[in-house]
Amino acid sequence: MGAPLAILNVVMGGEFTVRAFESELAEIRFGCGLSPVIAPATSVETMLAGITAPDTMAARFEIEPFDSFRARMVESDRLRRIQRDKRGKPEAKVARKDRNLLKKAARIDMVRWLGLSMLRRTYTETGFFERLVYFWGDHFSATGKAGLIRRATSPYIEDGIRPFVGGRYADLLISAVTHPVMLQYLDQDRSMGPDSARALKRGKAAGLNENLAREVMELHTLGVDGPYTQDDVRELAELFTGLSFQPKQGRKFRKDYVEPGAETVMGKTYADAYSMKPVRAVLEDLAVHPATARHLSWKLAVHFVSDTPDPALIDHVSARYLETDGDLMQVYAALLEHPAAWTQERANIKRPVDFVGSSMRALAVDPAAVIQLDERETRNLLLTPMVLMGQTWQKFSGPDGWPEEDEAWLSPQGLSGRVRWAMSGPQVLRPDLPDPREFVETALGSRASDEVTFAATAAESKSEAIGLVLMSPAFQRC
């Protein structure tokens, strides 16, 4: 993976500056923050090893995978058919009631999964892995549009994203793009070729939807300024026809939706196979395109390091991406081994989910304090405060996910939301708040300034002291 970070050097502004791995910075910038009970990573190697280690957080704080969530959708469809077939009869009323209970249970679980996600951040020993899961979940942001699948974003991430974070980007891309939640989110499940068997049977022109094809090129691979044309988008949309799903079987390829004929995307022609074969082939090709390497390297650097990362860092990560055909472990290694990744300047401000998660980690919140919360309590304690900070859990602002720019999170309303939660949330999550003098050290480490230490010790109450530490610039930035 290249030379050990500790001996890497960089020439900056004519002066020779040494940049080295730092455990604290590793936890704050690439992980979930400092913890009084979890030891920080000791090297880049341990950070990388954590990505492919057994997923202990998934086992400890279980979130339902989509493959299991589908059973709820199957049952909902069964009840809907009873409502339709037994209209006006008692059976229909019972079915409607049972279906509403299914919807309520899914809504409650969606909120519960937020709490479990935060607990994973609180207790993980592989914080970089949890952050990467979030990063790719945002990169492939998707949420169902109607019915139970609206509550299935966590299950989608659980089996559509999480298992692929340490593999090839091509595999991650194929998994996310062909996932039922993504297919519904971008209307691919209803897209059919104008000359497909299905469209001809209908006797009228059927709709070819370009949403998925456009976002794959613009967001997931080549980038908004990538080397593609509108013709490429349309050809890719025609190639994608057939991608669909059914609750009973999950992913389903519908041959009767396929637009006949070969498709040419960015100069390469893909044979008319009426199967997933050309879909996988074009995604494999897009995954290793130089523009994709550049786009993803830039996104990783911006997300983890700075809004304005050193171009040399992007060049380094991009080069490794191309050398390894998008081997993500090698890409992460390139990111972590570059000196520019460890500069203290221009550090990002934490997004609300990172702020709340790292606060819970610094407080070492007892898992029982979160698990025993009901839906209303979880909303009041975690979900609604994050809304006030500007980030509604899994309600993405668009297919491009949440903004990366710091200024998006520095609005007066957002900062007000942070202050309110910092002053009130911790004492609910942990009634036995820690001694402020100790909390300054465990939350900030060597970043604890004399001013913050004094303010914390001089505060009128523990809750105020904890809030002051959490709102300090040293804690707000990563």
Side-chain angles (χ1 to χ4, degrees):
M1 68 175 220
L5 182 66
I7 61 172
L8 282 174
N9 302 311
V10 63
V11 176
M12 300 178 67
E15 296 181 358
F16 195 63
T17 305
V18 177
R19 303 294 186 192
F21 170 87
E22 296 176 17
S23 290
E24 278 188 5
L25 186 55
E27 291 298 304
I28 294 170
R29 174 165 296 173
F30 298 102
C32 300
L34 299 177
S35 164
V37 295
I38 307 292
T42 56
S43 67
V44 166
E45 288 75 13
T46 59
M47 293 173 68
L48 294 172
I51 297 171
T52 54
D55 194 346
T56 57
M57 287 297 100
R60 183 177 179 185
F61 304 114
E62 291 186 42
I63 293 176
E64 187 174 311
F66 186 81
D67 197 43
S68 300
F69 187 90
R70 284 194 297 108
R72 305 185 193 221
M73 299 167 64
V74 172
E75 177 63 6
S76 181
D77 284 351
R78 186 186 72 81
L79 294 171
R80 181 173 51 79
R81 288 194 296 274
I82 293 176
Q83 284 184 258
R84 181 194 61 198
D85 298 340
K86 303 292 184 180
R87 186 186 301 273
K89 297 181 179 179
E91 294 94 324
K93 290 184 178 179
V94 173
R96 183 178 61 185
K97 181 180 178 181
D98 289 345
R99 196 162 171 235
N100 286 337
L101 289 175
L102 270 178
K103 293 177 182 176
K104 180 181 178 181
R107 187 195 72 216
I108 292 173
D109 280 339
M110 185 186 74
V111 175
R112 184 171 62 86
W113 293 329
L114 163 60
L116 295 177
S117 296
M118 291 297 104
L119 286 175
R120 288 180 178 182
R121 287 173 176 252
T122 304
Y123 284 100
T124 182
E125 295 180 355
T126 57
F128 188 39
F129 173 63
E130 292 297 336
R131 290 283 307 282
L132 286 169
V133 171
Y134 173 84
F135 171 80
W136 290 116
D138 188 67
H139 179 71
F140 292 108
S141 60
T143 183
K145 286 186 171 180
L148 286 181
I149 200 171
R150 289 190 301 134
R151 314 295 184 184
T153 297
S154 286
Y156 151 63
I157 293 173
E158 198 68 5
D159 63 9
I161 303 288
R162 194 174 180 94
F164 299 92
V165 162
R168 298 186 315 142
Y169 181 68
D171 294 329
L172 174 59
L173 177 68
I174 292 170
S175 174
V177 168
T178 64
H179 197 282
V181 174
M182 182 67 79
L183 297 182
Q184 194 197 50
Y185 180 53
L186 294 176
D187 304 310
Q188 182 61 38
D189 55 327
R190 292 181 293 172
S191 179
M192 63 182 72
D195 295 319
S196 66
R198 183 72 173 179
L200 295 176
K201 187 176 181 180
R202 286 186 173 184
K204 59 181 180 181
L208 177 70
N209 193 297
E210 298 180 354
N211 287 352
L212 181 63
R214 188 176 307 282
E215 303 308 0
V216 164
M217 288 187 152
E218 182 174 312
L219 302 178
H220 303 154
T221 58
L222 306 171
V224 66
D225 298 320
Y228 59 90
T229 66
Q230 172 55 33
D231 287 343
D232 291 318
V233 172
R234 182 173 179 82
E235 291 282 306
L236 184 60
E238 291 181 352
L239 193 153
F240 279 168
T241 53
L243 286 176
S244 187
F245 77 97
Q246 286 189 340
K248 280 188 177 181
Q249 63 189 86
R251 292 174 172 86
K252 178 180 180 180
F253 191 83
R254 297 197 57 157
K255 294 182 178 179
D256 58 337
Y257 277 34
V258 172
E259 176 68 5
E263 313 294 346
T264 301
V265 180
M266 299 183 67
K268 182 172 180 177
T269 299
Y270 297 85
D272 190 12
Y274 284 82
S275 71
M276 284 293 295
K277 186 176 179 179
V279 175
R280 291 195 182 93
V282 73
L283 290 175
E284 290 270 1
D285 290 338
L286 287 172
V288 298
H289 193 282
T292 300
R294 190 76 184 174
H295 177 56
L296 297 184
S297 299
W298 171 81
K299 281 202 72 171
L300 283 163
V302 168
H303 183 82
F304 283 101
V305 180
S306 167
D307 283 2
T308 53
D310 187 334
L313 173 62
I314 301 173
D315 291 344
H316 182 69
V317 178
S318 183
R320 186 70 58 80
Y321 188 107
L322 290 173
E323 291 167 7
T324 62
D325 289 337
D327 180 337
L328 290 176
M329 290 298 290
Q330 290 295 325
V331 172
Y332 305 147
L335 175 71
L336 295 176
E337 74 189 16
H338 197 279
W342 300 89
T343 57
Q344 300 282 0
E345 300 82 9
R346 306 189 304 275
N348 285 328
I349 190 169
K350 293 178 180 175
R351 297 152 193 83
V353 65
D354 298 320
F355 168 55
V356 173
S358 60
S359 297
M360 290 176 62
R361 185 175 177 86
L363 289 162
V365 170
D366 184 345
V370 175
I371 293 172
Q372 68 187 10
L373 297 174
D374 62 23
E375 180 194 11
R376 181 182 59 80
E377 291 169 332
T378 306
R379 286 182 180 275
N380 290 341
L381 188 56
L382 298 177
L383 195 148
T384 300
M386 286 169 59
V387 173
L388 296 175
M389 296 176 207
Q391 189 173 28
T392 304
W393 176 249
Q394 294 181 344
K395 284 194 175 181
F396 306 101
S397 54
D400 54 345
W402 292 103
E404 292 287 356
E405 301 80 8
D406 284 356
E407 64 180 22
W409 308 111
L410 293 173
S411 68
Q413 296 86 348
L415 290 175
S416 174
R418 290 184 190 229
V419 171
R420 290 170 61 182
W421 186 84
M423 293 297 173
S424 62
Q427 60 187 314
V428 180
L429 285 163
R430 185 174 167 179
D432 60 331
L433 286 173
D435 185 316
R437 292 167 296 184
E438 296 176 359
F439 187 69
V440 169
E441 297 297 327
T442 56
L444 303 180
S446 63
R447 291 185 173 192
S449 65
D450 292 341
E451 291 80 5
V452 174
T453 302
F454 174 78
T457 54
E460 294 184 356
S461 65
K462 277 189 176 180
S463 59
E464 183 178 309
I466 299 299
L468 288 171
V469 174
L470 296 180
M471 286 307 300
S472 67
F475 191 84
Q476 290 290 324
R477 291 196 176 273
C478 52

